[in-house]
Amino acid sequence: MNVSAANVTVIEIPFTKVLLKNLIVVGLCVFINSINAGLIYTFSKHQIFNTNPRYILFVHLVINDLIQVTLSVALFVTSYLFYLPMTVCCFFILIAIFTTENTPLNLACMAVECYIAICMPLRHAQICTVKKTRLLILLIWATSLVSVLPDLFMTLATESQDYFKLRVFCVRELVFKNPRIIERRNITYIVYLVLVWCIIFFIYFRIMFTARTASKDAKKARNTIVLHGFQLLLCMATYAEHLVKNMVWQWFRDYYLDALFACYLLFQILPRFISSIIYGVRDKTFRKHLKGYFLCKISTQ
């Protein structure tokens, strides 16, 4: 891989290693997106799902993950082939950032819905309606827009027109490189981290207290919150990406690119697979309809 553009050091990687990494990434992308496509199809075909706020939030998370994984893998593969025009790269990076920042917000909303269902069951139907859920999804996107668009506006204001005519190795650090952008991004991510984790911890302990004397559903909800927390931990690790890269450089300098590849799989790909496991496999209703979808696909081949 040659990454000499935009003051990036040239690093030559053996072709077999490049091929192996790309095969792994593309294979995981196809596998995860096949499951996600099945979840989306199942959701769209059954009324029991698209009238339930919990499943609406979940399918929004799945669609978000599908976009993020597809775009992330596409940028990963093209980075070994050619540089992208700055304007095209900027567009893809913005969408990737939107979908990345949507995930923890969506997980927090799903945790809140779970808390209301277990701890406030008599008010659940009144509070968690389909209309309010759709408005909540719009609010998630609006929050991400408010968080990300200043990066674009600041870049437009500080860079010359020639800057947007460049062809670049498409990573966020090379597109939005203004120090003020990095500082503002770090502050935003700290706020996200503190806010979302406070919500997760509060809800977990409230549900844990309820589960001691309540139904089996409460105990299952507690386990679901644990999985949300683990998924959130992996997703939030991307908020400390710059710090992680510095640590990798200090500790694994001789295997820097391989360590970065492992981090990419762990923080970008794995969390999107967990979403499918939480509802696609653990949820009995979804599992029953999803099994029918895959059996139908196999029988038609």
Side-chain angles (χ1 to χ4, degrees):
M1 176 179 64
N2 184 326
V3 292
S4 60
N7 298 322
V8 180
T9 305
V10 176
I11 301 175
E12 297 296 335
I13 306 176
F15 174 77
T16 53
K17 183 174 287 189
V18 171
L19 181 62
L20 179 61
K21 287 181 178 180
N22 279 273
L23 288 175
I24 291 173
V25 169
V26 172
L28 288 172
C29 175
V30 171
F31 177 71
I32 293 172
N33 281 350
S34 295
I35 297 176
N36 286 341
L39 292 169
I40 295 169
Y41 178 84
T42 301
F43 173 86
S44 65
K45 291 297 181 180
H46 298 88
Q47 190 73 10
I48 189 175
F49 298 126
N50 49 50
T51 57
N52 188 317
R54 179 175 303 174
Y55 292 120
I56 293 174
L57 283 172
F58 168 65
V59 83
H60 173 252
L61 181 66
V62 170
I63 293 172
N64 190 81
D65 286 351
L66 188 146
I67 296 171
Q68 199 277 340
V69 168
T70 302
L71 192 54
S72 174
V73 170
L75 290 175
F76 182 91
V77 173
T78 56
S79 69
Y80 287 94
L81 302 176
F82 50 81
Y83 298 141
L84 289 176
M86 179 65 77
T87 52
V88 175
C89 177
C90 185
F91 175 75
F92 286 152
I93 291 294
L94 283 174
I95 296 177
I97 297 172
F98 288 146
T99 53
T100 298
E101 294 195 2
N102 281 345
T103 298
L105 297 177
N106 202 108
L107 288 172
C109 293
M110 293 174 71
V112 171
E113 187 280 332
C114 190
Y115 163 74
I116 295 173
I118 298 302
C119 300
M120 307 168 62
L122 298 180
R123 300 184 59 191
H124 180 265
Q126 179 184 358
I127 297 173
C128 299
T129 65
V130 172
K131 182 178 179 179
K132 290 179 180 179
T133 303
R134 290 171 179 168
L135 290 174
L136 188 60
I137 291 173
L138 288 177
L139 181 61
I140 290 172
W141 278 93
T143 303
S144 296
L145 284 171
V146 171
S147 172
V148 174
L149 285 183
D151 292 359
L152 176 61
F153 296 149
M154 191 176 298
T155 302
L156 290 172
T158 56
E159 300 293 343
S160 65
Q161 292 184 356
D162 291 338
Y163 176 78
F164 295 96
K165 297 178 182 179
L166 296 174
R167 299 179 70 89
V168 294
F169 179 69
C170 193
V171 294
R172 182 177 184 177
E173 291 80 1
L174 298 182
V175 178
F176 304 118
K177 58 184 181 179
N178 189 302
R180 292 183 179 180
I181 292 178
I182 298 174
E183 182 180 354
R184 190 201 61 80
R185 181 185 66 191
N186 291 338
I187 294 173
T188 301
Y189 284 174
I190 290 173
V191 173
Y192 270 41
L193 181 67
V194 172
L195 178 62
V196 176
W197 272 111
C198 285
I199 293 173
I200 292 290
F201 276 119
F202 170 78
I203 289 173
Y204 173 77
F205 286 112
R206 286 300 301 270
I207 291 179
M208 184 176 66
F209 177 78
T210 303
R212 291 178 180 176
T213 56
S215 64
K216 181 180 178 181
D217 289 339
K219 296 179 180 179
K220 183 179 178 181
R222 182 191 61 188
N223 295 334
T224 299
I225 296 299
V226 171
L227 288 175
H228 282 329
F230 177 64
Q231 183 182 10
L232 185 63
L233 179 64
L234 295 178
C235 292
M236 291 300 230
T238 61
Y239 288 2
E241 184 177 1
H242 182 69
L243 178 61
V244 170
K245 287 181 178 179
N246 288 338
M247 292 170 60
V248 168
W249 176 250
Q250 293 294 327
W251 297 346
F252 307 102
R253 188 168 300 186
D254 294 337
Y255 306 97
Y256 181 62
L257 292 180
D258 293 333
L260 285 184
F261 178 69
C263 290
Y264 172 77
L265 294 179
L266 183 63
F267 300 140
Q268 294 290 339
I269 303 298
L270 181 60
R272 276 75 202 177
F273 175 68
I274 294 177
S275 298
S276 306
I277 297 298
I278 291 177
Y279 278 95
V281 176
R282 292 183 72 248
D283 187 270
K284 292 182 179 179
T285 306
F286 233 118
R287 184 169 67 241
K288 180 179 68 175
H289 290 90
L290 189 63
K291 187 184 298 183
Y293 165 78
F294 280 109
L295 288 177
C296 180
K297 292 289 288 184
I298 293 173
S299 64
T300 56
Q301 291 179 353

